[in-house]
Amino acid sequence: MQDASQFTSRFISGTEPSVSRRPPSGRVAALALIFPLLLAVGIGYAASDARPDAASPAVFRDCDTCPQMVRIPAGEFLMGAGPDEEERERLGEIFRNRSVPQRRVRIAAFAMGRYEITRGEFRRFAEATSHAVSQCFVWSGSEHRLDNGTAWDRPGYPQDDRHPAICVSWEDAEAYVRWLSLLTGRRYRLPSEAEWEYAARAGTVTPRYWGMDGHAACAHANGADARLRAALAIAKDWDAADCDDGHVHTAPAGSFRANAFGLHDMLGNAAEWTADCWSPDYRGAPADGHSRSDGDCWLRAVRGGAWDEGPAGLRAGYRVGSPVVIRVYTRGFRVVRDE
């Protein structure tokens, strides 16, 4: 564990502020635990072996209560933000150049959760293992603060067991996949960043799997929108899509259209932990789809944005890094299984 001065310096340097609550120039949010922390450290298709078919995804389960899985075909894709994408999206300077250089990556076949792990699925794990998860960082209107009354089953806003499990750390997610592997006899794990982005793009080369327009998100993803800004006083100035997705906070799994691989909520709803150690960009990253094991492994990459993210954060190329122990009321995960 790092000492307070290292911890504070790391977070104040801007590893992970939130996109939707930043002013146009970017904002560093403070977390208060013992000392300040910075939290949240028309569609074109790419040339690829894989041609997705959302109409008939190969869905399966390894047990009656296991997550629904979708088989993702092997292929190759162009990973990272396209030229001028971040400037066009008006992404804050502090967030730029994390998804460069663009590079071609080969991906082996694997299976991925059709949905983010739901609260009901996480409940079965927590009850079977007595895994304790409590205290979550929530946004107070001026900073993230640790709320002692929150946990995965009481995040501070209405949910039921169909919603994604949130307020889980990377370590909690790792504990879940170890349990699921033992339960099923198959190897479950968190996706690599490359697998995650390949699955999120589903053959597309646009910033989002539905196209260029972030303000068309409401048919496809649960992000910051007009409803959120109207419902929450603290959100009135947040970056948001000019539409209404029907939800203020998280939405039940499967509420929005799937991408071409048959996966739901790859952007929005809950931000998703991945396996990769954090690196500030893609220089030196594996080209074979494996997770990155160099860099800063006390931080892990988080992908996809969440219900409180505006259009700039709901992009396949958007990425942040966060400490493995941090639990946030917008963050969850989905699983992959080796084929």
Side-chain angles (χ1 to χ4, degrees), residues 51-325:
R51 279 292 178 265
D53 180 10
S56 55
V59 179
F60 68 92
R61 278 179 165 153
D62 282 327
C63 69
D64 289 344
T65 57
C66 289
Q68 292 187 45
M69 305 296 291
V70 175
R71 288 189 165 89
I72 307 299
E76 183 176 301
F77 80 116
L78 187 63
M79 184 174 182
D84 304 320
E85 178 180 321
E86 294 176 339
E87 181 178 357
R88 186 174 60 249
E89 296 285 342
R90 300 173 61 190
L91 190 65
E93 290 290 339
I94 198 170
F95 296 96
R96 295 188 184 185
N97 301 315
R98 297 179 177 185
S99 301
V100 295
Q102 277 190 304
R103 62 211 178 83
R104 297 205 69 82
V105 180
R106 301 180 307 278
I107 302 292
F110 65 100
M112 181 173 245
R114 189 179 190 182
Y115 311 114
E116 293 158 336
I117 292 300
T118 66
R119 201 175 79 166
E121 289 163 344
F122 195 82
R123 181 187 302 281
R124 286 187 281 276
F125 152 72
E127 291 175 350
T129 63
S130 300
H131 185 85
V133 177
S134 62
Q135 299 183 326
C136 190
F137 281 103
V138 303
W139 182 248
S140 68
S142 60
E143 64 178 11
H144 279 93
R145 60 178 175 79
L146 191 64
D147 186 332
N148 292 333
T150 56
W152 63 267
D153 58 349
R154 51 186 190 281
Y157 51 80
Q159 273 197 326
D160 60 37
D161 280 357
R162 300 171 300 157
H163 287 240
I166 49 84
C167 287
V168 293
S169 69
W170 185 87
E171 291 181 341
D172 297 327
E174 281 287 296
Y176 178 91
V177 295
R178 288 194 299 270
W179 169 78
L180 189 60
S181 297
L182 288 171
L183 180 68
T184 62
R186 303 300 299 261
R187 185 182 179 230
Y188 282 85
R189 55 184 173 81
L190 293 177
S192 70
E193 279 201 85
E195 289 170 328
W196 185 93
E197 189 170 326
Y198 176 72
R201 291 187 179 278
T204 65
V205 295
T206 47
R208 305 161 183 90
Y209 46 82
W210 61 85
M212 296 291 293
D213 187 3
H215 292 279
C218 291
H220 306 273
N222 176 24
D225 64 340
R227 179 178 293 249
L228 175 67
R229 292 208 296 192
L232 302 181
I234 61 173
K236 62 183 179 63
D237 296 323
W238 291 4
D239 180 33
D242 295 328
C243 58
D244 181 349
D245 63 28
H247 302 274
V248 175
H249 300 101
T250 55
S255 295
F256 297 87
R257 297 175 189 169
N259 71 7
F261 279 154
L263 303 172
H264 296 262
D265 300 320
M266 289 300 291
L267 299 178
N269 218 18
E272 300 179 14
W273 289 106
T274 68
D276 290 57
C277 299
W278 176 252
S279 292
D281 55 40
Y282 288 148
R283 286 176 293 183
D288 60 1
H290 285 87
S291 58
R292 193 162 190 167
S293 57
D294 61 342
D296 189 339
C297 293
W298 191 71
L299 303 176
R300 300 289 170 148
V302 181
R303 304 298 297 261
W307 58 264
D308 66 340
E309 297 280 5
L314 300 190
R315 293 181 299 113
Y318 178 65
R319 58 192 295 265
V320 297
S322 186
V324 296
V325 297

